[in-house]
Amino acid sequence: MLNMSTVARDYKDLVTSWMEQIALDLSSENDAHVEMIRRASFLIRNREVQATEYNHLYEQLDLTISTGNQAYVTVDFFEKQLTCTCDYNLISSDETYCEHVVAAAMFLYQYQHSVQKWVADWRTKKTVQTQLIIQERTPAAWQSMAQAVVHSYAPKNHYIEPYLLTSIDARIHERLALHTPVEREWRLLYKLYMELYVLNALWPHIYDPNKNAGLMFTYFLSRKQDDIVSLMDDMGDGLKLFEMDAFFTNVEDMLHTLLLEQEGYDSERFAIYCHYWQYVQRNKTVRKREVERLANSTYDMHMIELFFALLLQDEDKIFAVKEHSAGYCSYYLELASIAYSVKSMRSYEHLLKLVLLDLEAYTNKYVPGAFHKIHAEKMMAMYAHISLNEHEEHMLYRALGAYGLQFYSMSLIQQQRYREWVALHMMKPTSLLDAEMSGLKDVLAHEPALLLPLYHLFALREVEQKSRSHYKQAVRIWKMMKSAAKKANKLAYFEQYIEAMQQQFKRLRALQEEMEKGKLFT
């Protein structure tokens, strides 16, 4: 006969360690965890957990749990794990808990201790911790609070699906915001501290080089970078109290973790690190100490040395840089932005011209397609502050691809090089909409005759699609062409042209009908 008291006594220490692990992994601040504990304790009170078989040889206990859908839990004392038929492998791993394995652990625990007291102690843990943190303003207290909140939403080694990332981050910061200090200077420091802590804590959950988080992680990181940089900007000229020194030391430690220990998105991590040392920590002694600290690490000091050279206005070191590659571009662009902010324009120009040599490869390899437009706008804004010769301009526009074409077109318009504008759009596979966004109306106003071949090209592309909707669009383009011909005093030429088109496509009845409706013939 199965004697559960004996089994529970034999494995008392193991069962107790399981319950302690549950208390650590499940947070009384998490509504889902509270509900799980409530359901598990309900199953124990109503005796819904029953032992069915114990195998002495394999040290395995089988439990049946009567819920809406009956579940079966196997307690493997030898392997020190609990497994459930609802596909959760718990306690021995760091996966998500289910109410069945929690109830199974409670079932064994009740033979030696009070489950009711354990639940009460677990629920009061939140109040005690919160009161302690509110009373004590130290880096250790802030870290303990952040650790507890993060762990309740993102257990250790648990991969977070990218689509859940934003909501989990928002919930974590919503909970942390409840303890924000009232004083403005402390409030900003607190927010920066928590942003960096949460970002570092979530990074291993969301960045995995063997998994593709896709654009969701990229968007998330871009937004977090903006938030952190904005906080640093607000803190830059703020009052720094003596009591804050220990907190700033912790912030710098977290920046070290972000820069040196995390993987992936190197340029974003580098940008956050640099922004802090440029705008928040301006003490030269502390900066020099930071350089020495990095020198003792395994981190590639090349970019950091250039960064601090910019802060110290050492332009000779910047001009000594000759090496370039697509992989360096993101770093050089960030350093160029810093050079501009410290008004080191010669360094700014030198760095941007190094980037230009590999900008096309960098754009195609490292910039996601969804960000190409933003990237092109940023590049044009940066290069607008330096002088480029004609060859360098062509390199810039070519590097930016389709979006570079638009900027190049506007440049040609400004220089009144209308014939080259038309040649560019005939050579590249652009659309009528692209041409209109790139200054077609300006060409029409000054040199309408030049546009006639371009309108012809656009119309033929529509006809080749062989559908009535495309035929209608072709007729609209021919009407634009007619208007341009009339403005250029070449209406007779257009009439001969449209008659030739009618003859060329006489077998396309739908097109002939649309041409008649469009009143293209006089």
Side-chain angles (χ1 to χ4, degrees), residues 373-480:
K373 183 178 181 180
I374 297 174
H375 170 68
E377 292 172 349
K378 178 182 177 181
M379 292 301 97
M380 291 304 301
M382 292 183 73
Y383 280 94
H385 297 293
I386 67 173
S387 298
L388 298 175
N389 58 40
E390 187 173 353
H391 174 67
E392 291 169 336
E393 284 186 351
H394 289 171
M395 289 178 63
L396 174 61
Y397 297 134
R398 185 174 63 249
L400 299 180
Y403 296 105
L405 179 67
Q406 182 179 339
F407 290 112
Y408 187 30
S409 298
M410 297 308 297
S411 175
L412 293 175
I413 292 292
Q414 291 174 1
Q415 299 173 53
Q416 299 183 354
R417 296 159 61 182
Y418 303 119
R419 188 175 299 276
E420 294 175 54
W421 186 96
V422 173
L424 176 66
H425 283 269
M426 292 191 69
M427 181 178 64
K428 297 290 183 180
T430 60
S431 65
L432 177 61
L433 179 61
D434 292 331
E436 288 176 338
M437 294 176 62
S438 301
L440 183 143
K441 290 183 178 180
D442 293 289
V443 181
L444 180 62
H446 294 88
E447 295 285 350
L450 295 176
L451 289 175
L452 300 183
L454 186 60
Y455 280 128
H456 166 70
L457 182 63
F458 289 150
L460 287 188
R461 287 177 184 168
E462 298 295 335
V463 173
E464 288 171 358
Q465 301 302 314
K466 297 187 182 301
S467 72
R468 187 172 288 273
S469 62
H470 286 93
Y471 294 155
K472 289 181 179 180
Q473 180 62 15
V475 170
R476 294 190 193 102
I477 295 173
W478 277 325
K479 291 175 76 172
M480 295 178 187

Side-chain angles (χ1 to χ4, degrees), residues 52-270:
T52 55
E53 183 181 356
Y54 177 64
N55 189 313
H56 292 273
L57 180 63
Y58 293 102
E59 298 185 63
Q60 289 183 349
L61 173 68
D62 293 332
L63 301 175
T64 300
I65 301 178
S66 301
T67 56
N69 295 320
Q70 202 166 55
Y72 302 93
V73 175
T74 298
V75 184
D76 192 327
F77 295 107
F78 181 77
E79 296 291 341
K80 300 181 180 180
Q81 66 178 10
L82 292 86
T83 56
C84 179
T85 54
C86 66
D87 297 329
Y88 289 93
N89 297 313
L90 293 186
I91 295 191
S92 64
S93 68
D94 292 300
E95 301 292 332
T96 307
Y97 286 87
C98 75
E99 62 190 76
H100 308 123
V101 292
V102 175
M106 288 180 173
F107 175 76
L108 295 168
Y109 188 77
Q110 69 180 343
Y111 287 95
Q112 301 295 327
H113 305 280
S114 168
V115 172
Q116 184 177 1
K117 183 177 183 301
W118 183 94
V119 172
D121 292 342
W122 178 80
R123 285 175 176 167
T124 57
K125 181 174 65 172
K126 167 186 172 183
T127 305
V128 173
Q129 288 179 342
T130 302
Q131 289 177 349
L132 177 63
I133 291 169
I134 292 175
Q135 294 171 0
E136 184 181 6
R137 183 179 290 178
T138 65
W142 283 11
Q143 183 175 350
S144 297
M145 177 173 59
Q147 184 178 11
V149 174
V150 170
H151 187 76
S152 66
Y153 290 97
K156 186 179 179 182
N157 297 332
H158 180 69
Y159 177 74
I160 298 175
E161 294 296 338
Y163 65 88
L164 295 174
L165 190 55
T166 300
S167 61
I168 289 177
D169 177 75
R171 289 180 181 179
I172 290 173
H173 282 290
E174 184 179 343
R175 299 295 291 274
L176 293 173
L178 297 174
H179 311 294
T180 305
V182 177
E183 307 93 327
R184 181 180 183 276
E185 50 279 357
W186 279 103
R187 184 168 66 248
L188 292 173
L189 178 58
Y190 177 84
K191 289 181 178 180
L192 176 62
Y193 189 102
M194 294 306 170
E195 286 285 358
L196 290 173
Y197 184 91
V198 173
L199 182 59
N200 271 326
L202 289 182
W203 198 286
H205 294 267
I206 53 186
Y207 177 77
D208 186 341
N210 299 317
K211 295 182 180 179
N212 182 19
L215 291 177
M216 290 185 181
F217 182 51
T218 304
Y219 280 121
F220 169 79
L221 184 57
S222 176
R223 184 173 60 82
K224 298 310 294 180
Q225 182 178 351
D226 291 341
D227 292 343
I228 292 172
V229 165
S230 178
L231 284 170
M232 289 179 179
D233 289 339
D234 292 340
M235 291 178 63
D237 297 321
L239 178 65
K240 294 182 178 64
L241 305 175
F242 174 76
E243 295 87 345
M244 294 180 175
D245 288 349
F247 292 89
F248 278 109
T249 299
N250 267 33
V251 166
E252 289 157 16
D253 289 340
M254 288 188 285
L255 286 167
H256 268 267
T257 300
L258 183 65
L259 181 67
L260 305 180
E261 298 180 17
Q262 308 297 9
E263 297 180 353
Y265 295 88
D266 296 348
S267 60
E268 287 82 355
R269 294 186 287 118
F270 180 73

